[in-house]
Amino acid sequence: MTTRTQPLGELAEIVNGSRTSTLRSRLLTALAADREQPADAGEDRAHRTHRRLRLLADNLPPVHRLFRDPEQLAALGECVALVDPPLYMTVINHYVLCLGSIVTLTDDPASVGRPWQDLATGRSKGAFLVTEIGDAGSHLATRTVARFDSDTREFVLVTPVTGAAKFSGVGGSGVPNTAVVCARTVVDGIDRGVFSFVVELTTAHGPQPGVTVSPGLDAPSLPLDYALVRFDGARVPYAQWLRDGARIDADGAFHDPLGGPDARLQRTLSAGQILWATLPSAVATMARQCSVSALRFAAHRRAHGRLAPGASVLDLRNQQHALLGALAQAFALTCAGRTARDIWARSRAARRTPAQLVDGMTFAPWTAVDRPLAVLKAVTVRGAARVAAECQHRCGLAGFLHPNLLDGYHGFAHAFDTAGGDSQLILLDAGRALARENGTGRLGAMPPADVPADQPGWWPAVARAHEDWLRDELHRTLQRRTGVGRTGLELWNPLLDAAHSLGEAYGARLVADAVTAAVDAVHDPELRATLRPLAALHGAVEARRLAGGLLAAGTLAPATVRGLPAVIDGLCDRLLPHLPLLWEALGAPPGAAPAPLGADDYAAALYDFLDR
């Protein structure tokens, strides 16, 4: 018998990276031990979340070391997302956006003072307050004001109207909360752009002076203690202004090296890069767990339909198409997560300035901060939501039971279509920017005919050809419309769907390229024989999902689309013998996510869960 050690090790490195095994083991062990502790009857959700956040802080490296390595931040997100999706939302707010803003926008985080220490140790729960409830696109028109008081050298925070109230997971009484608050900064009566401020919102005894926290709000798809926050004269010390090189002299003179409000807004929101670099890996982890659990469930589940009584559910072709397709999609999301981390690492090494990043802000600021990272965020959360929803559907009742975790994974991915930078707006802005750039000159180019659809190189060629066609078509339409005097909304309103489609095509091509890079780098022959059909299946499933647009553009011929089911059949047949390897490498470590769904005997495992 041949050993699976070598292919398993290489695939594990693709999935988890090569430097974080100790950190992953420590975090998963701590979370598992906490899960086994008897529940405290007097502990509400807010206090339980805060306690688990402190548990993570105790098992993480110091914050300054954590932020030096994208792999470590990604490992934190993946471990928490696997075990407790709502807790991962808290981790995003606390570590990625709140602490991430402080690390990004200050030379010395300790200069912020006590709030930094309280956040770094988990004594205070961090939040990121940017979204305002009253208007669409509030990130581009922040109304919360931070007015500089030259007498005390403090900033005074004010919420001028009800619609400027901020929203975040800061509800629940008795938990200290500290937030990074994005506010329009006014110095000597002049609007100087949007900066971030570190603001102590609440103590264990309630809100701080000048801060009002509303009663709690529920979001069932991602259950946490949410609330609205308003400011009425809250005072913030000068040291807690995340000024990022800007300053106010003793005589009140304001200086900002960036020079303009758009560049300053980009920089203020640049913590989004950290989120978009690590979120794809986390949602890929959820998607992998969904698909592996659903496949194992289907393999052990007997069907009693009249065609083949007693057959495994996984013998049915439609189940194979759906669940092996979901596994292929989850693998593609995993590759996209690697690409996102690599993009962020290169960006940090290059130390790009906002002036080099400016790309205009039409619908939202996100693609102006980092186009490929923002788009990868958008397409990976949507992909993970599709995988989770398909696995739920294919598992029947079991897919919707809370202990099996699929509902929590789907809720998180679906919520993050809007959270973390609205995906719709990201794709609109990406498509708009691509169309305004020069066309490719390859309008109508077809993918190479000599690459069969059951090979991993087929879909990347199709995705690139489709993106090129959409880009050239929209570019030419823009030229025609601007040539007759159309501008602004009159120019773009009829083209918004086309811009969104182009943004989606760009994202699909980024994912396809990520899969190609990962598979091409594989050394082990057995693993290559496994991943090549898995990559090809991802392409065939995507082509079938997007067939309408591909046919309309002429990127694929009708005969090719009609042949896709047979292609998927063949790829499923090639993958079925490799399922044990894929389950072992792509699924969670034993005991990390103890959902009954993936057990050999599901009914017994469900009863064991209920008897705890």
Side-chain angles (χ1 to χ4, degrees):
M1 176 181 290
T2 59
T3 178
R4 288 210 311 269
T5 303
Q6 186 170 339
L8 187 61
E10 191 172 0
L11 182 52
E13 185 170 328
I14 293 173
V15 172
N16 298 318
S18 58
R19 304 191 307 275
T20 59
S21 58
T22 300
L23 177 60
R24 289 172 188 276
S25 176
R26 187 163 65 243
L27 291 173
L28 290 174
T29 299
L31 288 168
D34 181 72
R35 186 175 60 242
E36 296 302 321
Q37 293 296 318
D40 182 346
E43 185 180 56
D44 62 16
R45 182 170 60 189
H47 284 86
R48 179 175 183 271
T49 299
H50 188 207
R51 175 176 57 77
R52 286 166 71 80
L53 185 67
R54 294 197 305 272
L55 174 69
L56 292 172
D58 291 342
N59 285 276
L60 286 168
V63 172
H64 67 278
R65 281 175 44 203
L66 183 66
F67 277 88
R68 286 178 188 164
D69 186 357
E71 297 289 339
Q72 288 194 113
L73 273 173
L76 167 62
E78 291 167 34
C79 291
V80 180
L82 176 70
V83 175
D84 188 345
L87 180 62
Y88 177 47
M89 178 63 165
T90 300
V91 165
I92 287 173
N93 267 293
H94 181 88
Y95 280 100
V96 177
L97 297 176
C98 183
L99 284 168
S101 291
I102 298 172
V103 169
T104 300
L105 300 173
T106 59
D107 292 329
D108 178 15
S111 66
V112 170
R114 187 189 68 251
W116 165 258
Q117 294 299 326
D118 288 347
L119 288 166
T121 58
R123 287 194 296 267
S124 185
K125 181 165 68 71
F128 186 69
L129 300 187
V130 59
T131 299
E132 297 178 351
I133 63 166
D135 288 333
S138 65
H139 305 77
L140 291 177
T142 297
R143 290 188 284 178
T144 300
V145 173
R147 187 170 287 106
F148 182 64
D149 183 339
S150 58
D151 293 334
T152 62
R153 291 191 66 78
E154 295 174 314
F155 292 88
V156 181
L157 285 181
V158 175
T159 302
V161 294
T162 302
K166 302 282 192 181
F167 171 87
S168 192
V170 294
S173 60
V175 173
N177 283 280
T178 300
V180 165
V181 180
C182 297
R184 190 163 300 283
T185 303
V186 176
V187 181
D188 197 22
I190 301 172
D191 181 352
R192 296 297 186 176
V194 176
F195 284 83
S196 290
F197 299 83
V198 180
V199 182
E200 296 172 275
L201 298 178
T202 63
T203 68
H205 306 292
Q208 295 278 32
V211 178
T212 300
V213 180
S214 76
L217 291 165
D218 286 331
S221 61
L222 195 55
L224 284 173
D225 292 287
Y226 301 102
L228 304 179
V229 179
R230 297 180 66 182
F231 301 101
D232 183 17
R235 289 190 166 265
V236 182
Y238 186 90
Q240 290 169 219
W241 173 31
L242 301 183
R243 55 194 182 89
D244 186 43
R247 71 180 191 277
I248 303 172
D249 295 338
D251 61 1
F254 176 86
H255 305 273
D256 186 354
L258 298 186
D262 277 2
R264 174 47 61 193
L265 180 60
Q266 283 178 280
R267 181 64 178 164
T268 295
L269 297 179
S270 60
Q273 290 177 288
I274 308 173
L275 173 61
W276 306 327
T278 54
L279 178 65
S281 298
V283 296
T285 298
M286 297 184 206
R288 290 197 306 272
Q289 190 62 18
C290 286
S291 55
V292 168
S293 297
L295 276 164
R296 291 180 60 87
F297 181 66
H300 294 114
R301 195 181 189 194
R302 300 295 104 188
H304 295 285
R306 300 298 173 84
L307 290 178
S312 165
V313 171
L314 197 56
D315 289 342
L316 303 174
R317 276 298 193 199
N318 61 334
Q319 288 289 103
Q320 292 176 9
H321 286 201
L323 296 181
L324 287 171
L327 187 69
Q329 296 289 91
F331 174 71
L333 298 177
T334 302
C335 299
R338 283 166 51 102
T339 294
R341 297 195 304 274
D342 289 345
I343 291 171
W344 184 45
R346 291 195 299 270
S347 174
R348 283 159 50 89
R351 297 183 181 274
R352 291 185 293 175
T353 65
Q356 293 171 290
L357 285 168
V358 170
D359 185 32
M361 302 182 188
T362 300
F363 299 105
W366 309 121
T367 59
V369 174
D370 194 308
R371 184 198 298 170
L373 277 183
V375 170
L376 282 171
K377 174 269 173 187
V379 296
T380 54
V381 297
R382 289 185 171 186
R386 285 194 301 271
V387 167
E390 187 67 47
C391 290
Q392 280 188 286
H393 174 61
R394 297 292 172 169
C395 291
L397 168 65
F400 294 87
L401 296 180
H402 178 73
N404 291 324
L405 297 177
L406 300 191
D407 192 55
Y409 296 149
H410 179 257
F412 181 94
H414 186 59
F416 259 80
D417 194 32
T418 296
D422 188 282
S423 298
Q424 180 86 356
L425 300 182
I426 286 171
L427 297 175
L428 280 169
D429 260 334
R432 176 201 57 80
L434 287 165
R436 291 180 63 185
E437 297 167 2
N438 291 331
T440 66
R442 298 194 296 272
L443 186 62
M446 297 285 284
D450 58 347
V451 180
D454 64 351
Q455 296 300 309
W458 177 77
W459 175 244
V462 172
R464 185 172 294 276
H466 191 56
E467 179 194 353
D468 288 346
W469 190 93
L470 292 173
R471 179 173 169 178
D472 285 347
E473 179 71 9
L474 186 52
H475 179 73
R476 294 185 184 199
T477 302
L478 280 175
Q479 288 181 318
R480 289 195 301 270
R481 292 179 64 80
T482 54
V484 295
R486 302 284 201 277
T487 60
L489 185 62
E490 185 184 17
L491 169 65
W492 277 103
N493 211 21
L495 305 178
L496 295 182
D497 284 343
H500 184 268
S501 295
L502 176 55
E504 284 186 312
Y506 171 70
R509 195 261 300 167
L510 289 177
V511 175
D513 287 348
V515 174
T516 297
V519 174
D520 286 351
V522 169
H523 298 290
D524 181 78
E526 181 184 348
L527 182 58
R528 195 179 305 117
T530 303
L531 294 187
R532 284 179 62 83
L534 191 65
L537 181 59
H538 160 251
V541 168
E542 279 289 273
R544 199 174 183 190
R545 182 177 70 86
L546 300 171
L550 294 167
L551 286 169
T555 309
L556 289 183
T560 302
V561 173
R562 286 195 297 270
L564 286 175
V567 169
I568 294 172
D569 284 348
L571 291 169
C572 288
D573 288 340
R574 289 166 60 187
L575 282 170
L576 285 170
H578 299 288
L579 275 184
L581 169 64
L582 293 171
W583 284 343
E584 188 171 354
L586 300 182
L597 189 65
D600 291 348
D601 187 337
Y602 168 69
L606 183 60
Y607 266 101
D608 286 345
F609 179 91
L610 295 173
D611 289 339
R612 288 178 188 170

